[in-house]
Amino acid sequence: MAREITAKVLPQKLLLKNARLIDLLNKRDEVTDIIISDGKIDTIGKATTTVADTIDLKGKIVTHGLIDMHVHLREPGREDKETILTGCNAAMAGGFTAVACMPNTMPPIDTADTVHFIKSKAQNHLVDVYPVGCVSKKREGKELAEIGHLVEAGVVGISDDGDPVYNAEIMRRALEYVKMYRIPVIEHAEDKQLSNKGSMNEGFTSTRLGLRGIPNISEEVVVARDILLAEYTGSHVHIAHISTGGTVRLVREAKKRGVNVTCEVCPHHFTLTDAAVENYDTFAKMNPPLRESKDLEEIKRGLQDGTIDVIATDHAPHTVEDKECEFDQAAFGITGLETCIGIAFNDLVHKNVISLHSALEKMAIAPRKILNLPIPQLTPGSPANLSIIDPEKTWTYDVTRTCSKGVNTPYNGYTMKGKAFGVINKGKIFIEE
Ligand SMILES: [Zn+2]
């Protein structure tokens, strides 16, 4: 059962005391007080008066509201797996003020009506929900969706996620089309023939377990194709959930040539290897699959040198029935919204893989630049859209407390240093008790 949480309406005046304010846009990083009045940042600086509603944030970070640009909210169509409400609650508990949701719903997000439905359902929630529309009608890969109408209705990118854009000519047209709207085509890079109905990474472990493998090249072939098409059309392709060292090298080379390609990585692809599949654990089954140590090393290098722009979760809740079955029959995907900050801090920031500022940049600024969204400002007069993080808090993830309907995570019992503390957005506040 998803834990139910609700945001509170902000008091007319709220004082955040002793916060470490990190404003990446104005290169400001200092301990200070912040007064929020009527949902807006009022003053920043040592507070000289007392305010009835005060939260002491000593040791905690206040920064731009984080956004997860790759989540599956499952509504419409699979409300047994997640709803817009439970997904937004999981985002809020995980320290995000915004999500972009993928179009592989039922029906898929290929009409303006479905975009409006999602936006209206999310309207009163603290979390901003930005739908991603389909590249092709019904996500079938045969005919371009009515992209102009989708953009008008408010999509922030287009993708056939769950599947790749199979047809290179459709991909070319999609890239040409999105250019005028300054949004990306978001690609689930996978050649399904090369994946050959595999259920885990192709390698030593798959051979030993007797499971059919998905080779790295299945991802890289499509990444290479899309980079060439992005270069040819002069348009923007964003590669979702990259998993292999080869992809990092391809994107790095392309960026050097000036190709408009960006990419994201999920926390599981820099923390877990395919060894997690031992014991046929279906909570370690996702697509793309967990890879090998050498891929993780290259991904970390990609995070360091800026090849990888974004950390996103690919939050993919499933029912218990979809996961409690034979490994090769189980659904692909894991939940991710509530563990993302913890893993990013624990496994990247505290281990000096990337700096704190760089981690926040990849979760707050870069995704919004890619999706052409306004970046929450941390200056007086701006609407308060911010995430509060406790960087030193050590905690253990307990999936029985999840706000998502999905309990399919390999991180149950995982101990992390760094935790979401709360979020403020749209005149509302949520602080974890
Ligand atoms: Zn995908």
Side-chain angles (χ1 to χ4, degrees), residues 319-372:
T319 58
V320 172
E321 299 76 56
D322 283 336
K323 283 292 197 181
E324 273 186 359
C325 48
E326 292 286 308
F327 192 88
D328 53 4
Q329 299 298 315
F332 288 103
I334 62 168
T335 59
L337 282 163
E338 292 168 345
T339 44
C340 185
I341 286 181
I343 297 169
F345 272 70
N346 189 70
D347 291 88
L348 296 179
V349 177
H350 289 307
K351 290 185 178 156
N352 295 316
V353 176
I354 56 173
S355 70
L356 167 60
H357 285 200
S358 173
L360 297 175
E361 160 82 27
K362 291 178 200 299
M363 292 189 280
I365 311 292
R368 289 190 173 91
K369 282 187 182 161
I370 288 166
L371 302 174
N372 198 22

Side-chain angles (χ1 to χ4, degrees), residues 70 72 102 104 159-164 187-190 240-241 264 287-288 314:
H70 196 128
H72 297 272
M102 290 294 139
N104 56 339
S159 179
D160 276 351
D161 187 46
D163 290 280
E187 177 71 298
H188 168 116
E190 179 186 9
H241 46 55
E264 73 197 24
N287 189 14
D314 194 8

Side-chain angles (χ1 to χ4, degrees), residues 86 92 109 126-127 135 175 177 231 281 312 315 339 364 406 424 427:
T86 58
M92 187 161 79
I109 310 177
L126 179 147
V127 172
V135 169
L175 284 164
Y177 223 99
E231 189 168 25
D281 179 4
H315 177 81
T339 44
I424 295 177

Side-chain angles (χ1 to χ4, degrees), residues 282-338:
T282 61
F283 285 0
K285 179 177 177 180
M286 65 287 282
N287 189 14
L290 298 173
R291 302 293 187 180
E292 295 174 18
S293 309
K294 58 182 192 305
D295 296 298
L296 271 65
E297 290 314 310
E298 194 58 32
I299 282 170
K300 285 178 187 170
R301 267 193 289 278
L303 282 161
Q304 282 166 349
D305 70 8
T307 301
I308 301 173
D309 306 85
V310 167
I311 298 167
T313 69
D314 194 8
H315 177 81
H318 287 294
T319 58
V320 172
E321 299 76 56
D322 283 336
K323 283 292 197 181
E324 273 186 359
C325 48
E326 292 286 308
F327 192 88
D328 53 4
Q329 299 298 315
F332 288 103
I334 62 168
T335 59
L337 282 163
E338 292 168 345

Side-chain angles (χ1 to χ4, degrees), residues 158-200:
I158 55 169
S159 179
D160 276 351
D161 187 46
D163 290 280
V165 180
Y166 292 99
N167 181 321
E169 143 69 18
I170 299 255
M171 188 62 176
R172 174 194 173 172
R173 298 291 165 217
L175 284 164
E176 283 169 345
Y177 223 99
V178 296
K179 242 166 101 171
M180 65 179 118
Y181 302 114
R182 298 181 56 220
I183 59 168
V185 179
I186 301 171
E187 177 71 298
H188 168 116
E190 179 186 9
D191 182 303
K192 292 276 184 185
Q193 280 75 40
L194 283 168
S195 290
N196 197 20
K197 297 195 167 67
S199 57
M200 69 169 293

